[in-house]
Amino acid sequence: MEMGVDGSGVLTVEEAFRAAVRMVEQYVDLEERPDEALVLLLQYMESDPARWTDWLEAVRWGLANADAVDPHA
């Protein structure tokens, strides 16, 4: 995927999932003592068989609720 300097671009659902996992990995790695819930989230995202179904549901929710979270706030 090509991404503009301003962060614009279109991701596939798979690319977005990989980006989300990487974001959580980066945060866990950054913290000296990461919160247990975040470590568990990362483990879940990397290995739980239900993660893909849960991710697709989250994507559907995000598409249906575009005003729910402001990524720039």
Side-chain angles (χ1 to χ4, degrees):
M1 183 208 63
E2 294 290 324
M3 186 163 43
V5 175
D6 63 353
S8 63
V10 177
L11 296 172
T12 67
V13 175
E14 291 88 358
E15 290 169 332
F17 182 81
R18 286 192 298 272
V21 170
R22 182 62 186 142
M23 185 173 176
V24 175
E25 283 175 343
Q26 288 175 315
Y27 186 82
V28 167
D29 290 345
L30 179 67
E31 291 297 307
E32 185 175 315
R33 296 175 62 196
D35 184 75
E36 181 181 3
L38 240 103
V39 173
L40 291 173
L41 173 62
L42 181 57
Q43 290 172 352
Y44 157 78
M45 291 181 83
E46 293 176 333
S47 63
D48 191 299
R51 73 187 179 274
W52 189 247
T53 301
D54 295 344
W55 176 255
L56 292 177
E57 177 56 33
V59 168
R60 281 190 284 278
W61 182 90
L63 291 170
N65 297 281
D67 295 332
V69 177
D70 181 357
H72 305 287

